[in-house]
Amino acid sequence: MRRARPSVFERIPTATRAWASRLVLLLACASVVATSRAQSNDVASPVHTGTPFRLTAETGRVTRTVVVRASAKKKLSDPVEGEVHIQAKAKWTPADPAQTTKPSLVISHLHGETLHEDRRSVLEPDVAVTVESMEFLSEKCSEDQGCEWTLQTVFGIDVPSDADSGTVADPGTVDVEWTAQAFMHVLDDSSVPNGFTVSVSEP
């Protein structure tokens, strides 16, 4: 049987092949380092406690506006980005103690006119259930953009229809307590700016 002709790579001396492989690996690592952006450690805001509210059949959805601000002793020249964590504790009181269908608390975020559902959790009678949501805040602050983000968070109840009758039962009441906290960092700089602070509030 005729032996297969060696490939071009196989005809290169072994030592040269090893050197070339290492060079390719080093170039790949250098490319990753060159394209990754520096960023500082996260700075957390104080926890903002929102005003509690009640969801019912008549008021099945409530919107809360959350404003995040970042500042430093000197005007920020590097962009800032981060995320907001929303935590809700919901306690459901059924209208009918014998009710078998359970509502869910749903946390969504409004982007323009589009509502994006993020998290939901099925509620239990007279038990505080925690639902947590997170929303990313894209980079701002450079080029006089200002360091403020406004987030529209929507809390709602979803009641499934009865499997037998197809009707939707009165959900009773859902009492909601909620908090918000932001975690922000500076891009293109690995150090936190002097006096860098983050705050969360409602207008």
Side-chain angles (χ1 to χ4, degrees):
M1 181 179 294
R2 188 175 181 179
R3 184 181 177 187
R5 186 178 182 181
S7 66
V8 174
F9 185 75
E10 289 174 329
R11 291 201 297 271
I12 300 174
T14 302
T16 304
R17 290 205 306 268
W19 178 85
S21 298
R22 287 196 295 270
L23 179 61
V24 170
L25 182 60
L26 286 172
L27 288 173
C29 292
S31 175
V32 171
V33 171
T35 55
S36 62
R37 298 179 71 177
Q39 69 176 54
S40 70
N41 292 329
D42 278 343
V43 173
S45 72
V47 176
H48 170 75
T49 301
T51 304
F53 56 87
R54 171 171 287 183
L55 299 172
T56 64
E58 292 74 25
T59 309
R61 181 181 292 178
V62 168
T63 301
R64 289 290 182 261
T65 301
V66 176
V67 179
V68 177
R69 295 182 178 90
S71 62
K73 287 189 175 180
K74 292 185 178 180
K75 181 176 174 58
L76 290 165
S77 58
D78 293 318
V80 177
E81 68 175 14
E83 58 193 37
V84 176
H85 293 204
I86 305 291
Q87 183 183 85
K89 291 185 178 181
K91 187 175 182 181
W92 171 45
T93 303
D96 179 2
Q99 182 176 333
T100 57
T101 56
K102 300 176 182 178
S104 296
L105 179 69
V106 182
I107 301 179
S108 306
H109 301 287
L110 193 61
H111 297 166
E113 296 182 354
T114 306
L115 190 64
H116 295 275
E117 180 181 322
D118 186 53
R119 289 289 185 272
R120 68 166 55 215
S121 186
V122 177
L123 303 179
E124 298 291 338
D126 301 314
V127 175
V129 175
T130 299
V131 187
E132 296 182 344
S133 173
M134 187 274 287
E135 178 76 349
F136 175 72
L137 302 176
S138 58
E139 62 181 77
K140 282 188 178 182
C141 301
S142 61
E143 300 178 359
D144 299 325
Q145 286 180 306
C147 291
E148 182 175 299
W149 297 258
T150 300
L151 176 70
Q152 300 286 337
T153 301
V154 181
F155 303 87
I157 48 174
D158 182 31
V159 185
S161 59
D162 185 86
D164 298 323
S165 64
T167 59
V168 177
D170 183 339
T173 60
V174 177
D175 292 298
V176 180
E177 297 178 350
W178 67 281
T179 61
Q181 186 175 24
F183 299 85
M184 310 299 292
H185 54 258
V186 174
L187 294 171
D188 303 328
D189 193 338
S190 58
S191 60
V192 177
N194 187 26
F196 184 71
T197 59
V198 181
S199 66
V200 176
S201 62
E202 293 178 80

